[in-house]
Amino acid sequence: MYARRRRVYFLLMGGCLFLFVSAWSFVRLLSVEAAVALCVVAMVIPPVAAMIANRRGPEDRWWDDPSGDPKSDEWWDELDGKRRHED
């Protein structure tokens, strides 16, 4: 799942760079308004790419979700500081 999200993120960011570079390389020679419009579209892509890359997948374990494994949950709780082990 991480590989798919990473691939989509890099495709979106590559498209963003392509739009930005092409806008000011050759589109501006045809139309400055079109170049500005391409830059506006390129400006919207990075936040969308970040949301896609950071969204929660159905199999992702988040810090507050119990996994069902008592030993693993105890370990995560100790790391999160929820429970301290009394030695």
Side-chain angles (χ1 to χ4, degrees):
M1 196 65 168
Y2 292 118
R4 184 183 63 80
R5 288 194 316 232
R6 186 174 44 230
R7 191 175 326 122
V8 171
Y9 174 79
F10 284 121
L11 283 173
L12 284 170
M13 293 306 289
C16 175
L17 286 173
F18 174 76
L19 286 174
F20 184 75
V21 170
S22 66
W24 297 111
S25 296
F26 59 88
V27 175
R28 71 175 169 88
L29 300 174
L30 303 172
S31 169
V32 173
E33 292 83 8
V36 171
L38 285 177
C39 284
V40 169
V41 171
M43 178 182 67
V44 173
I45 292 175
V48 172
M51 285 186 274
I52 289 173
N54 291 317
R55 76 175 170 210
R56 179 181 178 186
E59 73 282 346
D60 292 343
R61 183 185 189 284
W62 291 84
W63 63 274
D64 58 348
D65 289 344
S67 67
D69 178 22
K71 187 168 180 115
S72 175
D73 291 339
E74 182 181 333
W75 183 77
W76 280 106
D77 288 343
E78 182 181 347
L79 283 178
D80 292 339
K82 291 182 181 177
R83 281 187 269 175
R84 299 282 182 206
H85 278 295
E86 304 288 330
D87 291 329

